[in-house]
Amino acid sequence: MTSWTAADIPDLTGKSAIVTGANSGIGLPTALELARHGARVIVASRNPDKGRAAVEEIRRDAPGAQVEFGQLDLADLASVRRFAESVDRLDLLVNNAGIGLISRQETKDGFELQFGTNHLGHFALTGLLLPLLLKSPGARVVTVSSDAYKAGRIDLDNLGLTQGYGRMSSYARSKLANLLFMLELRRRAGKAGADLISVATHPGTTATNFVNVGPLKPLLPLFMHSPEVGALPSLYAATSPAIRGGEFVGPRLQLMTLSKTARSEALAERLWEVSAELTGVRFEAIAEAN
């Protein structure tokens, strides 16, 4: 597995992909390599200027690439719905966008911002796009998490974190939610007999805009790897025929062992139901079997 590179991505001609947060960080090389190998890629970004700039960069690096911009603000459920309604076909969804280590803020719908963006926004997006995904044999949902999830704790009675907020603890909680969602999506899709692979990734310590280090930025290459390297777990999870649902692909493409909390079916089911209630997205396409 460690010898796998982006050059090993199979021909994706005829496939359609969405990468959230594809205007920068690991999202940009993820979108670039998918497009380079033939996929039609939607660069989903909150900022139109940055999103369109990323599209042009991809076209310069991969002439002839089928790539377009789609405006998506994961911190606004109305924006999530508008974006989902604009998509006509889909084989691969990479839930890549994320924010972290910020002061307590709220989404437009009143959710704590890190949890609302990293988990609830992607939960809603995946549910709204699920009917399109299920039309494509072997469709995949790749959710980018982090090994920071190990420090996460989910109190379903205090999702707003109006008390006891911490920048890191909130981020860790959202990354734990990503993994619980990934596994519960796999379980529910399997129970419904849906041909869908749900998998998660951890990019490792990567030098991206996510890490706000000010004057230390020139030193990043000394202790962090590049976004191109950080994108490899996502690309492997998205395209390798060796991938199985429920796996957690980490740096050097090693499969990471999930904690007991992340593997808790009871917690995952409760989080799913609360998320459906908060977002109004109920995954009707697989709901009857669950």
Side-chain angles (χ1 to χ4, degrees):
M1 291 174 63
T2 55
S3 64
W4 190 93
T5 71
D8 296 307
I9 296 173
D11 181 16
L12 301 176
T13 300
K15 301 291 186 180
S16 182
I18 292 171
V19 182
T20 68
N23 58 282
S24 63
I26 66 170
L28 180 53
T30 299
L32 169 61
E33 293 300 337
L34 293 175
R36 193 196 304 278
H37 287 82
R40 172 200 175 203
V41 178
I42 298 177
V43 170
S45 171
R46 179 180 59 84
N47 187 304
D49 292 336
K50 292 181 179 179
R52 293 189 177 102
V55 168
E56 292 307 312
E57 182 175 343
I58 292 171
R59 287 174 176 164
R60 287 194 300 270
D61 289 348
Q66 299 181 71
V67 58
E68 60 192 83
F69 165 71
Q71 188 165 11
L72 170 66
D73 183 353
L74 289 162
D76 179 358
L77 290 177
S79 173
V80 174
R81 289 184 178 276
R82 286 193 298 271
F83 174 82
E85 290 170 357
S86 73
V87 181
D88 58 356
R89 59 188 176 90
L90 186 61
D91 301 271
L92 171 62
L93 173 62
V94 183
N95 289 325
N96 166 81
I99 58 172
L101 311 181
I102 59 173
S103 60
R104 190 188 182 283
Q105 301 170 48
E106 294 185 352
T107 70
K108 290 188 177 180
D109 302 282
F111 309 130
E112 186 274 310
L113 188 58
Q114 294 193 77
F115 184 77
T117 301
N118 298 350
H119 169 62
L120 291 176
H122 280 128
F123 177 93
L125 179 66
T126 305
L128 293 169
L129 293 173
L130 188 62
L132 289 179
L133 286 164
L134 295 183
K135 291 180 180 179
S136 301
R140 298 191 188 193
V141 176
V142 178
T143 300
V144 178
S145 184
S146 166
D147 65 350
Y149 86 88
K150 296 173 184 176
R153 300 291 182 270
I154 294 179
D155 180 354
L156 295 174
D157 295 322
N158 185 30
L159 291 179
L161 291 183
T162 53
Q163 296 180 341
Y165 180 86
R167 296 175 184 232
M168 185 61 204
S169 60
S170 172
Y171 175 71
R173 179 183 72 154
S174 73
K175 296 292 98 179
L176 173 58
N178 287 156
L179 291 172
L180 291 164
F181 165 66
M182 178 275 290
L183 288 172
E184 185 66 3
L185 176 61
R186 179 207 182 198
R187 187 191 71 79
R188 289 177 178 246
K191 190 173 180 181
D195 186 6
L196 179 75
I197 292 176
S198 175
V199 62
T201 64
H202 165 45
T205 306
T206 308
T208 69
N209 292 335
F210 182 84
V211 182
N212 184 12
V213 293
L216 294 180
K217 191 170 184 178
L219 301 178
L220 286 181
L222 298 179
F223 55 91
M224 294 183 178
H225 53 237
S226 68
E228 288 74 20
V229 172
L232 287 177
S234 293
L235 290 167
Y236 183 80
T239 66
S240 172
I243 282 294
R244 300 293 179 265
E247 293 177 328
F248 187 27
V249 183
R252 297 177 297 281
L253 309 184
Q254 295 178 342
L255 298 183
M256 302 177 67
T257 301
L258 292 169
S259 70
K260 182 178 179 180
T261 300
R263 290 183 284 107
S264 171
E265 290 189 8
L267 179 57
E269 185 173 2
R270 292 199 301 271
L271 177 63
W272 182 286
E273 296 301 334
V274 169
S275 300
E277 184 67 27
L278 291 173
T279 63
V281 178
R282 301 190 177 278
F283 289 69
E284 288 88 351
I286 57 174
E288 290 185 2
N290 291 276

